[in-house]
């Protein structure tokens, strides 16, 4: 049975991290080269962690399923990265970023972790500027800032609409430097398929070479997962098609607790679904809501062109409902508001599942060139996809699955319930509660990779007596055989349905019953249908090809098999949490004006689920959440 010990240091919150860093055990610089760390994932969290650990002197083996770390999904992040620098002198501070993040997460995050994130945010910007990341600058040369949802200050640093790409290139350059030096060994086109646990500690991983199909074991003294989120369980999401949950799910089945799996973020600014043929959705950055105004017609079924609808017949519903924050209301609130007006049959576009994001006022006020300078590549992307010119007509947007706040449970040191297993970035649950504020994903990934993990992993290594382990260890061979048998099982089914058909059906079940809104009857229906679909998958899926070559159908099959299990856990978690908070909106629990209604007496905890076996329900463990500095309050952005 697992135990949840958060290891949060005592003392005033502003001093916890410094105190903890002093009290942690250190590894002598000369001894660091004796330790090997396995880093799975090479996005912002993984690349920054691998480079930082190597620079400290550790031997690092870094694995990614892409052909280059530059193709990690972090590259898709558009709008910016938060930091409490207060360059605008508009009232920002570390404490305000901390406050906004706790409030934005609807009081379902760990206070100490959030405060540390706000503290480190100011260091991240300095680090990235030193690397040459080309942040936007004001005319005088100072770094520029813009606003994002859930805040009334401008604290978001950005590089046009490609901030993730520029930050990833900065981390990638550091990673390549360490690869050239010999401190990091890179394994591209290699997918982790299982975790090796020896004497109760994470000591290695089993991988499949995605080109040759070879299954291998790699061992070390600690394992770090930086493999991103699980939003693709919904099939249609803003995530890259390759994004998956396999690494964290296989670790869960080896004993790592999975925390808050139902906390999924729906992003309000996505290009609407256009047909059944789609395999993914495209995000339009939240930064567009700085200058774009969101509206729908006041009348039901009004299909006139937007230019033909006068201002008096438009409902700028975010400005009407949330006058203090307006179009920069947090993502969960803006998404539900869009769903609400579409449910009232006031949505736009052929499907009626869309709202307008209109830049006409901003273009009149600032000029088209200013808007081009701020968002040009985003406007170009929108026009290429929709064949509509957003400088002339409003964009059409609708909410879509974007980010997952849930993930493997970690303590203050970013270590999971399996000693030696560390989890960083979106793969863990730690910092965002029930709703992530915009521009905070890049902040967390880089905070974990550059600053937190390099400090905390040394404490684990210095505190542990680790026997030498080789890939020939019996446990390595055992797990390799289990992975090979699992792979053969998928290939031997030889059924009639494609992997994608199962994934699409699962995604529809998840969106309908565990998506933007959930209720008891819908979740119960999903918990009946998902096991049935999983049973059919294992009896009727068709996976062509072999396991000794490049086989993308086989890769997909393993990932969808994991999604079929994870989807059930998400619904189970959503059913047990009889409250609404952040992105988890139970229709039975809402205020009179349709806002989320928390139940702090019963549910102010992290729900951490323990795997108990293939035919047994998972066991729920609870980490109580206490709020000493930001006191419980009904969220209000009005």
């Amino acid at each position: 049975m697992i135990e949840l010990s958060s290891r949060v240091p005592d003392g005033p919150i502003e001093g916890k991290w410094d105190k903890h860093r002093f009290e942690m055990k250190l590894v002598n610089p000369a001894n660091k080269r004796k330790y090997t760390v396995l880093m799975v994932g090479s996005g912002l969290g993984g690349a920054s962690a691998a480079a930082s650990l190597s620079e400290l002197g550790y031997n690092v083996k870094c694995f990614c399923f892409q052909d280059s770390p530059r193709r990690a999904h972090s590259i898709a992040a558009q709008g910016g990265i938060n930091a409490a620098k207060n360059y605008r002198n508009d009232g920002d501070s570390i404490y305000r970023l901390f406050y906004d993040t706790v409030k934005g997460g609807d009081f379902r995050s760990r206070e100490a972790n959030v405060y540390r994130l706000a503290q480190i945010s100011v260091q991240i910007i300095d680090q990235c500027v030193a690397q040459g990341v080309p942040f936007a600058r004001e005319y005088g040369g100072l770094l520029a800032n813009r606003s994002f949802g859930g805040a009334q200050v401008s604290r978001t640093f950005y590089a046009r609409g490609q901030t993730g790409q520029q930050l990833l290139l900065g981390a990638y350059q550091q990673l390549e430097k360490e690869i050239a030096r010999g401190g990091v060994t890179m394994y591209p086109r290699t997918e982790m398929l299982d975790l090796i646990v020896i004497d109760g500690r994470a000591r290695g991983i089993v991988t499949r070479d995605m080109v040759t199909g070879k299954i291998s074991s790699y061992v070390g003294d600690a394992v770090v997962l930086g493999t991103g989120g699980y939003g693709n369980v919904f099939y249609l999401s803003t995530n890259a098609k390759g994004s998956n949950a396999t690494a964290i799910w296989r670790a869960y089945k080896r004993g790592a607790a999975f925390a808050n799996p139902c906390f999924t973020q729906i992003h309000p600014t996505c290009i609407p679904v256009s047909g059944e043929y789609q395999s993914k959705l495209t995000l339009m950055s939240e930064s567009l809501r700085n200058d774009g105004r969101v509206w729908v017609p006041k009348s039901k079924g009004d299909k006139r062109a937007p230019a033909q609808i006068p201002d008096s017949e438009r409902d700028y519903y975010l400005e009407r409902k949330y006058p203090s924050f307006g179009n920069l209301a947090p993502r969960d609130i803006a998404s539900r508001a869009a769903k609400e007006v579409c449910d009232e049959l006031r949505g736009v576009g052929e499907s009626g599942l869309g709202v307008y994001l209109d830049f006409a006022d901003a273009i009149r006020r600032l000029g088209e060139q200013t808007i081009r300078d701020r968002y040009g590549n985003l406007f170009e992307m929108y026009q290429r996809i929709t064949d509509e010119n957003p400088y002339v007509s409003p964009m059409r947007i609708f909410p879509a699955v974007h980010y997952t706040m849930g993930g493997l449970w970690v303590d203050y040191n970013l270590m999971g319930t399996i000693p030696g297993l560390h989890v960083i970035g979106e793969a863990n649950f730690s910092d965002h509660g029930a709703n992530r504020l915009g521009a905070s994903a890049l902040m967390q990934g880089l905070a974990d990779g550059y600053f937190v993990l390099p400090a905390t992993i040394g404490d684990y290594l210095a505190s542990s007596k680790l026997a030498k382990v080789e890939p020939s260890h019996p446990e390595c061979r055992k797990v390799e055989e289990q992975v090979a048998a699992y792979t053969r099982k998928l290939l031997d089914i030889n059924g009639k349905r494609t992997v994608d058909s199962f994934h699409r059906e699962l995604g529809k079940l998840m969106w309908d019953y565990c998506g933007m809104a959930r209720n008891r009857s819908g979740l119960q229906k999903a918990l009946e249908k998902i096991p049935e679909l999983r049973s059919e998958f294992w009896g009727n899926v068709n996976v062509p090809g072999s396991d000794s070559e490049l086989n993308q159908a086989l890769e997909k099959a393993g990932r969808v098999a994991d999604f079929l299990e994870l989807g059930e856990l998400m619904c189970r978690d959503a059913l047990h949490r009889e409250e609404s908070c952040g992105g988890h909106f139970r229709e039975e629990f809402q205020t009179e004006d349709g806002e989320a209604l928390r139940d702090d007496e019963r549910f102010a905890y992290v729900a951490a689920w323990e795997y108990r076996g293939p035919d047994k329900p998972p066991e729920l463990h609870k980490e109580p959440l206490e709020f000493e500095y930001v006191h419980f309050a009904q969220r209000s952005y009005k």
Side-chain angles (χ1 to χ4, degrees):
M1 179 173 171
I2 65 174
E3 292 185 13
L4 303 181
S5 175
S6 65
R7 297 185 66 185
V8 173
D10 56 15
I13 197 165
E14 61 273 9
K16 286 182 186 292
W17 177 231
D18 288 339
K19 178 174 185 276
H20 192 60
R21 282 191 300 166
F22 174 73
E23 292 177 344
M24 284 189 293
K25 292 185 178 180
L26 301 175
V27 178
N28 183 311
N31 288 336
K32 287 189 172 81
R33 69 178 71 98
K34 299 176 182 178
Y35 291 105
T36 297
V37 178
L38 306 183
M39 181 67 240
V40 186
S42 61
L44 271 183
S48 59
S52 299
L53 292 170
S54 174
E55 287 178 343
L56 286 171
Y58 297 106
N59 294 304
V60 180
K61 295 180 179 180
C62 186
F63 303 82
C64 70
F65 65 74
Q66 299 93 347
D67 57 0
S68 164
R70 288 175 299 173
R71 293 188 180 274
H73 184 56
S74 300
I75 208 167
Q78 298 166 340
I81 176 171
N82 287 330
K85 285 284 197 181
N86 195 33
Y87 281 174
R88 287 289 186 90
N89 196 29
D90 57 358
D92 201 13
S93 64
I94 288 171
Y95 199 92
R96 188 175 293 279
L97 176 54
F98 159 63
Y99 173 87
D100 286 347
T101 305
V102 172
K103 176 184 174 184
D106 219 350
F107 299 88
R108 292 295 176 262
S109 52
R110 193 188 285 150
E111 268 194 340
N113 286 63
V114 177
Y115 194 89
R116 176 176 64 186
L117 180 65
Q119 281 179 299
I120 290 173
S121 71
V122 297
Q123 299 171 259
I124 295 171
I125 301 303
D126 296 340
Q127 170 97 357
C128 294
V129 169
Q131 291 173 350
V133 173
F135 287 120
R137 292 180 181 268
E138 305 286 4
Y139 178 77
L142 297 176
L143 297 182
N145 292 119
R146 57 189 177 200
S147 300
F148 256 65
Q152 291 179 304
V153 296
S154 294
R155 64 162 66 102
T156 304
F157 295 77
Y158 62 96
R160 295 190 81 187
Q162 50 185 249
T163 314
Q165 179 179 4
Q166 298 302 330
L167 290 171
L168 184 61
L169 288 174
Y172 171 72
Q173 289 174 121
Q174 306 310 305
L175 178 62
E176 284 297 306
K177 173 175 70 72
E178 291 305 305
I179 291 171
R181 190 184 64 79
V184 177
T185 305
M186 193 72 213
Y187 297 86
R189 304 296 290 158
T190 304
E191 183 166 28
M192 171 184 163
L193 294 182
D194 216 331
L195 181 72
I196 298 169
V197 181
I198 299 174
D199 296 328
R201 297 178 182 271
R203 296 300 305 270
I205 60 174
V206 171
T207 67
R208 178 177 183 270
D209 185 309
M210 295 165 71
V211 177
T212 67
K214 183 180 179 183
I215 292 172
S216 306
S217 292
Y218 295 89
V219 295
D221 300 292
V223 177
V224 184
L225 302 184
T227 51
Y230 49 91
N232 274 349
V233 70
F234 290 88
Y235 187 70
L236 287 179
S237 83
T238 66
N239 289 263
K241 283 299 290 179
S243 298
N244 65 87
T246 289
I248 59 173
W249 189 250
R250 305 287 170 91
Y252 162 73
K253 294 175 81 170
R254 292 290 178 188
F258 205 119
N260 299 335
C262 78
F263 285 174
T264 308
Q265 179 167 82
I266 313 294
H267 198 294
T269 317
C270 179
I271 297 178
V273 177
S274 58
E276 284 290 320
Y277 58 85
Q278 276 187 269
S279 61
K280 77 174 297 294
L281 297 172
T282 304
L283 178 70
M284 290 286 100
S285 169
E286 181 175 314
S287 63
L288 294 170
R289 292 198 279 150
N290 271 288
D291 290 304
R293 298 180 71 192
V294 180
W295 64 274
V296 292
K298 288 183 177 179
S299 302
K300 294 181 180 180
D302 190 338
K303 295 300 181 183
R304 287 178 292 174
Q308 296 175 344
I309 302 176
D311 208 58
S312 60
E313 296 178 31
R314 300 178 179 184
D315 180 12
Y316 295 92
Y317 58 88
L318 289 177
E319 297 173 32
R320 170 174 57 83
K321 293 184 69 174
Y322 308 103
S324 292
F325 283 73
N327 296 298
L328 288 173
R331 290 176 177 179
D332 59 322
I333 286 173
S335 295
R336 284 198 297 275
K339 179 182 185 296
E340 183 180 290
V341 295
C342 291
D343 288 347
E344 294 170 357
L345 304 180
R346 296 194 287 140
V348 303
E350 289 184 17
S351 67
L353 296 176
V355 301
Y356 288 129
L357 182 60
D358 196 337
F359 292 85
D361 286 353
I363 290 172
R364 279 193 296 269
R365 186 176 71 254
L366 302 170
E368 185 175 313
Q369 189 56 49
T370 298
I371 300 302
R372 285 186 183 276
D373 291 344
R374 290 178 180 176
Y375 313 112
N377 60 312
L378 297 171
F379 276 51
E380 180 184 353
M381 183 167 66
Y382 181 88
Q383 186 163 5
R384 287 186 177 187
I385 291 170
T386 65
D387 198 28
E388 298 171 8
N389 184 351
Y391 293 104
V392 176
S393 299
M395 289 183 179
R396 287 178 296 109
I397 57 169
F398 192 69
V401 172
H402 177 57
Y403 187 91
T404 48
M405 287 75 66
L408 293 187
W409 183 92
V410 292
D411 63 16
Y412 192 69
N413 284 358
L414 303 182
M415 189 161 71
T417 53
I418 301 173
L421 178 69
H422 296 74
V423 192
I424 61 176
E426 191 179 357
N428 74 31
F429 88 101
S430 71
D431 292 357
H432 306 298
N435 173 62
R436 177 175 67 78
L437 292 184
S440 287
L442 303 181
M443 178 174 62
Q444 187 208 348
L446 291 181
D448 288 355
Y450 280 137
F451 297 101
V452 182
L453 184 72
T456 61
I457 202 168
D459 180 67
Y460 168 73
L461 296 172
S463 305
S464 307
K465 291 184 178 179
L466 300 168
K468 188 171 179 60
V469 173
E470 299 290 345
S472 58
H473 190 283
E475 190 62 27
C476 298
R477 294 283 170 258
K478 176 184 172 185
V479 179
E480 280 183 32
E481 290 168 6
Q482 290 171 344
V483 167
Y486 188 86
T487 302
R488 287 193 299 271
K489 184 179 179 182
L490 286 168
L491 291 165
D492 290 345
I493 295 169
N494 201 25
K496 306 245 185 253
R497 287 186 61 178
T498 65
V499 175
D500 277 345
S501 73
F502 282 102
H503 195 181
R504 188 180 286 109
E505 187 173 343
L506 171 66
K508 190 170 189 319
L509 284 172
M510 293 300 296
W511 179 252
D512 288 346
Y513 301 123
C514 195
M516 222 184 319
R518 301 106 185 250
N519 58 55
R520 172 173 288 277
S521 62
L523 290 166
Q524 288 173 334
K525 185 175 290 187
L527 288 169
E528 292 172 7
K529 289 182 174 293
I530 292 173
E532 293 172 2
L533 184 63
R534 187 167 64 245
S535 177
E536 186 186 353
F537 173 89
W538 284 105
N540 196 30
V541 73
N542 183 277
V543 184
S546 77
D547 59 353
S548 58
E549 60 186 353
L550 176 67
N551 188 341
Q552 290 187 309
L554 178 60
E555 295 164 24
K556 284 184 186 176
R559 296 166 184 172
V560 172
D562 294 333
F563 282 143
L564 284 162
E565 296 176 357
L566 171 57
E568 184 176 347
L569 182 65
M570 292 170 68
C571 292
R572 186 183 294 272
D573 187 43
L575 182 62
H576 110 274
R577 189 172 282 277
E578 295 180 331
E579 65 165 353
S580 291
C581 55
H584 167 66
F585 191 75
R586 282 284 296 269
E587 292 175 341
E588 307 96 319
F589 307 101
Q590 54 184 301
T591 63
E592 290 182 0
D593 53 354
E595 304 293 349
L597 183 62
R598 294 194 322 269
D599 185 343
D600 295 326
E601 285 191 15
R602 296 174 60 212
F603 293 102
Y605 59 75
V606 176
W609 297 88
E610 179 184 6
Y611 181 70
R612 303 296 289 168
D615 301 315
K616 298 178 182 177
E619 183 176 348
L620 174 63
H621 302 270
K622 301 175 182 179
E623 178 199 339
L625 293 172
E626 298 178 0
F627 294 90
E628 183 181 353
Y629 294 88
V630 182
H631 299 295
F632 286 126
Q634 177 69 35
R635 274 202 309 170
S636 174
Y637 293 93
K638 296 181 179 181

